[in-house]
């Protein structure tokens, strides 16, 4: 079996409430050639104490880095930059890896070495404060991210850049692959496609998965190997209460970087969106120049 080093990357920030359970799931992994990279955004709770005790109790390497916050994407990137492994496996501070998660993902890489990323299904852990009809509706809607795709065989989905050419590509749900705790990829791919886009706050994960998919196939294992926790302080819920400009920026990225992959209807939609935007910019610029000219005349 492929026994290359896997870096489990855990970006943290005030995550003490669920962190110990997440780290315990690392200890339980059946795949043993691992290291843990903890990148902490200057937590003010007991996060670092929990991480230090974890480091002292493990037989595998644990590296803890504490720094001033520079944004969610910067923290994810910091994990990758500090990783020594051949593979990057994210685990968020409130999620859980099932015991065979890394082992089964490594088996996929052994059988399909051409892929750029492997992901898996996930179960949900709903915090007591989030138990509601609204949460149940959300889970029902987002439970199966690959619902539009056919299985390659009984155990996997095999996705290619043909995904971008489907009319439904921009339909909800837009993340067709999974949350960061669901994925693993080779570190070397960052040399060709770069790191996470730090301008993004809400969708930087699947924007990155699609960058990988643009270059290499992606496999999604048709079983849950992680548990994704839903709670009131997770980044998705915090971001939903703030003004996030991600989708406008994302459309610009698609128009510039993915245009020839897209379905004709999506090309037309993006063309229309940006032609109107350009017309508005021209109008504003024209008005600005006119006003500037009038001010110069008044000042003479």
């Amino acid at each position: 079996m492929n026994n290359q080093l896997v870096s489990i990357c855990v970006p943290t920030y005030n995550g003490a409430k669920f962190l110990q359970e997440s780290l315990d799931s690392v200890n339980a992994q059946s795949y043993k050639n691992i290291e843990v990279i903890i990148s902490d955004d200057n937590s003010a709770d007991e996060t670092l104490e929990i991480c230090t005790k974890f480091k002292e109790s493990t037989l595998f390497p644990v590296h803890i880095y504490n720094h001033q916050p520079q944004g969610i994407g910067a923290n994810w990137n910091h994990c990758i930059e500090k990783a020594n492994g051949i593979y990057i496996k994210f685990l968020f501070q409130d999620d859980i890896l099932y015991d065979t998660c890394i082992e089964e993902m490594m088996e996929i890489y052994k059988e399909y070495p051409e892929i750029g990323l492997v992901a898996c299904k996930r179960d949900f852990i709903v915090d007591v404060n989030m138990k509601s009809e609204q949460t149940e509706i959300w889970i029902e809607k987002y439970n199966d991210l690959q619902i539009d795709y056919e299985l390659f065989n009984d155990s996997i989905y095999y996705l290619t850049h043909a995904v971008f050419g489907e009319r439904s590509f921009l339909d909800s749900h837009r993340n067709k692959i999974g949350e960061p705790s669901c994925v693993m990829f080779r570190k070397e791919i960052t040399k060709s496609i770069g790191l996470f886009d730090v301008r993004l706050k809400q969708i930087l994960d699947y924007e990155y998965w699609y960058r990988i998919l643009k270059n290499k196939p992606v496999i999604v294992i048709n079983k849950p190997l992680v548990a994704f926790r839903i709670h009131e302080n997770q980044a998705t819920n915090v971001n939903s209460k703030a003004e996030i400009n991600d989708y406008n920026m994302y459309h610009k990225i698609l128009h510039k970087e993915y245009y020839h992959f897209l379905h004709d209807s999506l090309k037309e939609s993006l063309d229309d969106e940006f032609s109107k935007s350009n017309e508005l910019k021209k109008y504003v610029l024209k008005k600005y120049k006119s006003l500037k000219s009038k001010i110069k005349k008044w000042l003479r």
Side-chain angles (χ1 to χ4, degrees):
M1 179 181 173
N2 189 345
N3 195 41
Q4 293 174 309
L5 180 65
V6 175
S7 296
I8 302 178
C9 293
V10 189
T12 58
Y13 175 68
N14 290 343
K17 185 175 182 180
F18 305 114
L19 180 58
Q20 187 62 59
E21 191 175 358
S22 295
L23 295 176
D24 287 344
S25 78
V26 174
N27 254 332
Q29 288 302 296
S30 58
Y31 188 89
K32 299 303 183 183
N33 192 16
I34 60 175
E35 67 168 5
V36 176
I37 306 295
I38 297 171
S39 177
D40 184 73
D41 264 356
N42 201 25
S43 291
D45 63 0
E46 294 78 32
T47 292
L48 287 173
E49 288 90 334
I50 293 170
C51 293
T52 300
K53 289 180 181 178
F54 173 72
K55 178 178 180 177
E56 292 170 350
S57 68
T58 63
L59 298 176
F60 47 81
V62 176
H63 308 284
I64 303 170
Y65 302 95
N66 177 243
H67 48 78
Q68 290 299 317
Q70 294 180 303
I72 184 171
N75 201 18
W76 297 9
N77 289 339
H78 193 254
C79 280
I80 296 173
E81 290 167 345
K82 295 297 184 181
N84 302 296
I86 302 298
Y87 296 89
I88 301 294
K89 176 71 191 80
F90 272 101
L91 171 62
F92 277 16
Q93 64 188 14
D94 34 25
D95 298 336
I96 295 170
L97 303 179
Y98 292 166
D99 294 1
T100 62
C101 178
I102 295 177
E103 180 181 355
E104 294 194 45
M105 288 185 167
M106 291 297 284
E107 286 290 347
I108 291 293
Y109 269 109
K110 182 179 179 181
E111 187 172 356
Y112 302 93
E114 76 278 8
I115 65 170
L117 177 148
V118 61
C120 64
K121 301 283 192 180
R122 72 278 199 247
D123 289 325
F124 295 98
I125 304 172
V126 182
D127 194 36
V128 62
N129 294 328
M130 292 295 289
K131 290 184 181 295
S132 67
E133 182 180 356
Q134 183 179 1
T135 299
E136 291 178 3
I137 292 171
W138 187 92
I139 290 175
E140 183 177 355
K141 181 177 181 180
Y142 292 100
N143 178 51
D144 188 358
L145 299 179
Q146 291 79 42
I147 193 170
D148 294 330
Y149 306 117
E150 294 183 5
L151 283 165
F152 182 73
N153 55 40
D154 288 340
S155 59
I156 66 168
Y157 297 87
Y158 193 99
L159 307 179
T160 70
H161 59 65
V163 167
F164 306 132
E166 297 170 357
R167 185 188 292 270
S168 61
F169 175 61
L170 286 181
D171 293 349
S172 184
H173 36 76
R174 294 190 177 194
N175 186 346
K176 317 291 186 186
I177 295 175
E179 294 80 16
S181 292
C182 296
V183 312
M184 185 168 76
F185 56 90
R186 290 189 182 91
K187 182 178 179 179
E188 68 177 6
I189 203 167
T190 63
K191 296 177 182 177
S192 58
I193 71 166
L195 296 169
F196 289 98
D197 190 333
V198 296
R199 299 172 300 171
L200 301 172
K201 308 293 183 225
Q202 183 72 45
I203 65 170
L204 69 168
D205 53 350
Y206 68 80
E207 185 276 330
Y208 196 72
W209 314 154
Y210 290 157
R211 244 189 286 164
I212 293 176
L213 183 59
K214 183 180 173 185
N215 293 274
K216 291 179 176 291
V218 163
I219 282 180
V220 181
I221 300 170
N222 188 33
K223 65 185 285 190
L225 295 174
V226 306
F228 175 75
R229 194 183 303 271
I230 299 173
H231 61 95
E232 59 186 356
N233 292 321
Q234 68 188 140
T236 300
N237 288 321
V238 172
N239 287 338
S240 68
K241 299 172 185 176
E243 288 190 18
I244 302 294
N245 192 38
D246 278 16
Y247 292 107
N248 181 53
M249 194 179 302
Y250 179 52
H251 284 189
K252 290 180 180 178
I253 292 170
L254 290 177
H255 193 255
K256 180 180 179 182
E257 305 291 343
Y258 294 78
Y259 188 83
H260 72 279
F261 291 108
L262 299 176
H263 189 277
D264 286 344
S265 64
L266 299 183
K267 290 179 181 178
E268 291 174 8
S269 176
L270 290 173
D271 283 341
D272 186 53
E273 177 181 344
F274 289 108
S275 64
K276 288 180 179 179
S277 176
N278 288 335
E279 287 300 318
L280 179 60
K281 288 178 182 177
K282 289 178 183 178
Y283 174 78
V284 171
L285 183 59
K286 183 178 179 181
K287 287 292 185 181
Y288 169 75
K289 288 181 177 178
S290 175
L291 180 60
K292 187 177 180 180
S293 177
K294 289 178 180 178
I295 291 174
K296 283 184 177 180
K297 289 180 181 179
W298 292 336
L299 293 176
R300 287 174 182 166

